[in-house]
Amino acid sequence: ANATPLEKATSYINLGDWNVSYDRAQRSEEAYIKAWQILRDANFADETIKSIMFPQPLVPVPAYVTHEFSREFYNFSAEDTLQYKGYVDTTIDLDRFGRVGNIRIDATSPDTPRRVRDTLFTYLREKKMRPVVENGELVKVSDIKTRYYYSY
């Protein structure tokens, strides 16, 4: 009953993530906008709200589970230094329902195997991501650039 605005907003963000995962667009939109409004009403700055709701350019949903290809999946902490074999640079569009589209592989490190590019492409095509909220509305975002590092 005495939850902080951040705790309340996080609950709504998690609910939004869950609804996006199950293609419940209206319910997810309501949850994300409620989270945004709670943070706004608590006088969080726009940049702080953005960092809470979108800690990285793409947030796989639901964010509270462990996703394949993540550090957590392989029992690495955020502090662990990993030896990467290479990287893949991508540009994607994200619609207001969390669907990834227009996936482009812009560059790779030398000797990046085709299967790594194909695996990343398939992952992005099949995975839902948290949609972006701006000024209390879900919006489509184009040309999100992300570098993915890989190791195996």
Side-chain angles (χ1 to χ4, degrees):
N2 292 332
T4 67
L6 181 57
E7 290 167 334
K8 288 178 190 172
T10 300
S11 294
Y12 278 104
I13 291 167
N14 289 341
L15 180 61
D17 284 358
W18 190 83
N19 282 310
V20 165
S21 326
Y22 288 98
D23 289 320
R24 295 180 170 154
Q26 187 169 348
R27 289 181 181 177
S28 66
E29 184 169 14
E30 290 167 3
Y32 291 129
I33 290 171
K34 181 78 174 162
W36 181 87
Q37 194 62 56
I38 288 168
L39 295 171
R40 197 63 190 249
D41 291 347
N43 295 317
F44 282 80
D46 287 343
E47 281 307 308
T48 305
I49 293 172
K50 188 175 180 182
S51 72
I52 291 167
M53 295 188 76
F54 313 102
Q56 58 196 40
L58 295 173
V59 180
V61 296
Y64 53 84
V65 301
T66 301
H67 293 276
E68 59 186 335
F69 309 123
S70 67
R71 285 172 168 263
E72 298 81 23
F73 189 80
Y74 295 99
N75 294 317
F76 291 113
S77 75
E79 292 76 38
D80 287 332
T81 301
L82 303 180
Q83 296 301 315
Y84 295 106
K85 289 192 179 292
Y87 64 85
V88 178
D89 290 335
T90 63
T91 302
I92 62 113
D93 296 343
L94 182 64
D95 76 11
R96 50 191 305 274
F97 306 108
R99 291 184 300 246
V100 173
N102 198 17
I103 304 164
R104 282 125 31 227
I105 295 185
D106 301 323
T108 64
S109 54
D111 302 323
T112 295
R114 175 105 200 148
R115 67 183 163 82
V116 168
R117 293 194 308 269
D118 291 348
T119 300
L120 177 59
F121 191 88
T122 301
Y123 171 80
L124 291 171
R125 190 179 65 230
E126 294 174 355
K127 182 62 72 183
K128 294 276 185 82
M129 301 292 173
R130 183 179 296 156
V132 175
V133 179
E134 285 182 2
N135 298 318
E137 291 183 39
L138 293 184
V139 295
K140 177 183 179 188
V141 181
S142 298
D143 300 326
I144 300 170
K145 295 191 177 306
T146 308
R147 174 169 279 186
Y148 291 93
Y149 291 94
Y150 65 88
S151 188
Y152 49 86

